[in-house]
């Protein structure tokens, strides 16, 4: 059985060299005489793995020294709760920009803890412009989703929020291109797209925003607990952390995030061009805010959806079914999706159109 091109939105394809290296090191890591999975998180071998992963992530993203980097569990969804608990007093106003399904989930959770203002809402095919944002200078923070994984919608700018900290759910776009971390108060991301396997959540938080959690915050959700314990207040997801470290090394070997961004732009542009130039596929998102990572598309005849998926799977093009809430197809083309995988998908789509369109 050969490896397929896996277009899953997450857990998603991992770089093959990373998997091969993990395979080589699986049973015995270095001279440790045991697998990374079997090591104490406080032993010197794992501590070295953990420190190198953080150093490499800092280098890749250019994370300034006044930011803490946390390697946690609970997924991005747990940060939907942690963000208001850490940053807003009960009832304090917070601003949320709402551009799609994941923004909505973040809003719903924040509403349980504080007073959420709508700083700008769209229908999932565009983002509000800076001028359209309705920001309250008194808000405790502004939250947004730079890349909506389900809608395939990505901000083409970083919102300017003045002195109000900007919080970003970067789950499906982190590491896909260089960003200016200093524009953010908090960045968080579930790992299972561009970082590594599921089970790990990365939180990057500016120092001055740590230590403000309200009193009833569960101890594991308080960023200060985790900052003070170097993400080891309790047992961290050690193997996922190690694999993330291998992904960071792979990215560094490829020349870092600007090289990756060039490849990502090329992959996305050719796939959108194939959709726009076709007679049977369409994508509703405004061209300037189309995601480089998640490319949803509809067939003009939805009765052909299942046939499309079956025939694609036979060509080794896997997991193209769109999210159940929007239907159609979705090709997630994260960093680890090789350009050849996108080329193979484009060829298949053209062939399918010739035969069935
Ligand atoms: N935010 C975004 C943008 C996502 O894409 C996802 C997962 N698809 C989540 C949050 C939820 O992440 P998790 O499953 O890690 O809680």
């Amino acid at each position: 059985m050969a490896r397929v091109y896996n277009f899953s939105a997450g857990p998603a394809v991992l770089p093959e060299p990373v998997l091969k290296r993990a395979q080589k090191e699986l049973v015995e890591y270095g001279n440790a005489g045991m697998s990374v999975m079997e090591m104490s998180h406080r032993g010197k071998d794992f501590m070295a793995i953990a420190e190198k992963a953080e150093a490499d992530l800092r280098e890749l993203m250019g994370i300034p020294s006044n930011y803490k980097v946390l390697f946690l569990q609970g997924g991005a969804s747990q940060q939907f709760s942690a963000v208001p608990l850490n940053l807003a007093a009960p009832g304090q106003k917070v601003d949320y920009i709402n551009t799609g399904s994941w923004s909505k989930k973040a809003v719903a959770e924040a509403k349980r803890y504080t007073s959420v203002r709508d700083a700008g809402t769209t229908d999932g095919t565009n983002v509000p412009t800076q001028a359209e944002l309705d920001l309250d200078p008194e808000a405790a923070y502004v939250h947004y989703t730079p890349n909506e994984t389900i809608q395939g919608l990505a901000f083409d700018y970083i919102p300017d929020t003045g002195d109000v900290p900007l919080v970003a759910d970067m789950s499906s776009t982190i590491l896909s291109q260089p960003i200016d971390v200093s524009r953010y108060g908090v960045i968080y991301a579930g790992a299972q797209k561009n970082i590594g396997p599921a089970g790990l959540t990365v939180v990057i938080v500016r120092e001055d925003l740590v230590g403000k959690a309200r009193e009833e915050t569960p101890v594991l959700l308080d960023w200060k607990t985790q900052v003070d314990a170097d993400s080891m207040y309790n047992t961290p997801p050690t193997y996922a952390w190690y694999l993330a470290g291998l992904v960071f090394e792979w990215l560094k070997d490829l020349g870092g995030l600007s090289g990756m961004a060039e490849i990502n732009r090329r992959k996305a542009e050719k796939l959108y061009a194939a959709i726009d130039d076709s007679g049977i596929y369409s994508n509703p998102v405004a061209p300037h805010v189309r995601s480089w990572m998640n490319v949803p598309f509809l067939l003009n005849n939805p009765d052909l959806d299942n046939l499309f998926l079956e025939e694609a799977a036979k060509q080794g093009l896997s997991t193209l079914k769109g999210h159940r809430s929007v239907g159609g197809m979705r090709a997630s083309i994260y960093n680890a999706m090789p350009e050849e995988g996108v080329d193979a998908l484009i060829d298949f789509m053209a062939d399918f159109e010739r035969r069935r369109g």
Side-chain angles (χ1 to χ4, degrees):
M1 209 20 208
R3 272 173 69 75
V4 297
Y5 290 121
N6 172 12
F7 294 94
S8 169
V13 55
L14 285 162
E16 197 168 322
V18 165
L19 293 175
K20 293 241 163 83
R21 175 146 168 221
Q23 181 180 45
K24 223 168 89 196
E25 298 176 342
L26 180 70
V27 178
E28 285 162 48
Y29 176 81
N31 294 320
M34 64 178 83
S35 172
V36 175
M37 268 183 263
E38 301 170 300
M39 284 175 187
S40 162
H41 53 297
R42 302 194 192 281
K44 77 172 177 14
D45 287 301
F46 188 78
M47 291 297 272
I49 289 169
E51 281 164 20
K52 176 151 195 325
E54 178 177 336
D56 285 346
L57 181 62
R58 283 182 175 277
E59 186 182 327
L60 279 167
M61 292 183 70
I63 301 173
S65 57
N66 63 325
Y67 284 73
K68 302 293 186 187
V69 180
L70 302 174
F71 291 83
L72 308 178
Q73 308 195 36
S77 304
Q78 192 168 77
Q79 296 306 311
F80 293 170
S81 328
V83 166
L85 286 169
N86 277 274
L87 297 180
Q92 192 180 1
K93 279 182 291 188
V94 296
D95 277 346
Y96 275 70
I97 305 172
N98 180 354
T99 48
S101 308
W102 288 109
S103 298
K104 276 199 194 75
K105 284 213 158 175
V107 165
E109 184 60 13
K111 279 187 171 159
R112 304 180 62 218
Y113 300 109
T114 193
S115 167
V116 176
R117 287 184 72 255
D118 177 0
T121 293
T122 61
D123 66 357
T125 62
N126 212 330
V127 306
T129 62
Q130 176 73 45
E132 285 164 350
L133 293 177
D134 171 21
L135 300 174
D136 184 338
E138 303 286 301
Y141 61 87
V142 180
H143 180 280
Y144 84 122
T145 311
N147 187 83
E148 286 283 0
T149 320
I150 293 175
Q151 281 71 27
L153 176 72
F155 272 76
D156 59 341
Y157 72 101
I158 302 177
D160 181 355
T161 58
D163 291 335
V164 178
L166 178 61
V167 179
D169 172 3
M170 239 176 241
S171 294
S172 49
T173 183
I174 193 165
L175 297 174
S176 66
Q177 56 181 305
I179 54 153
D180 180 357
V181 174
S182 73
R183 298 280 305 275
Y184 295 89
V186 184
I187 291 169
Y188 64 92
Q192 63 274 18
K193 299 150 196 310
N194 260 345
I195 296 175
L200 172 72
T201 314
V202 170
V203 179
I204 301 166
V205 53
R206 212 175 61 209
E207 250 164 20
D208 60 294
L209 301 174
V210 176
K212 299 157 75 106
R214 56 179 85 171
E215 211 169 315
E216 69 270 25
T217 304
V219 67
L220 281 173
L221 268 62
D222 184 341
W223 296 326
K224 184 160 192 330
T225 309
Q226 299 289 8
V227 165
D228 290 348
D230 292 326
S231 305
M232 294 192 189
Y233 180 81
N234 67 334
T235 314
T238 50
Y239 199 71
W241 191 336
Y242 153 78
L243 270 178
L246 297 188
V247 172
F248 302 154
E249 280 185 35
W250 172 78
L251 277 167
K252 279 177 55 180
D253 288 346
L254 285 180
L257 300 194
S258 35
M260 200 69 244
E262 265 322 295
I263 301 170
N264 286 331
R265 175 202 296 278
R266 215 166 49 226
K267 283 172 7 190
E269 279 180 353
K270 64 169 110 170
L271 184 49
Y272 285 115
I275 292 166
D276 290 343
D277 296 345
S278 81
I280 65 167
Y281 307 111
S282 64
N283 169 290
V285 176
H288 67 294
V289 287
R290 285 173 166 178
S291 167
W292 291 0
M293 295 285 102
N294 311 98
V295 181
F297 57 95
L298 297 172
L299 272 63
N300 62 359
N301 177 4
D303 292 344
L304 292 180
D305 282 4
N306 284 337
L307 189 67
F308 180 95
L309 290 165
E310 273 167 35
E311 292 191 358
K314 282 194 194 129
Q315 305 285 320
L317 305 168
S318 163
T319 330
L320 282 162
K321 196 174 168 61
H323 192 269
R324 60 193 178 281
S325 62
V326 293
M329 307 297 151
R330 173 175 50 173
S332 293
I333 51 174
Y334 298 117
N335 287 349
M337 170 57 65
E339 193 162 354
E340 302 84 67
V342 175
D343 292 337
L345 174 60
I346 291 170
D347 287 347
F348 167 75
M349 288 167 68
D351 182 51
F352 186 86
E353 180 173 2
R354 265 193 303 276
R355 289 182 296 107
R356 313 275 183 186

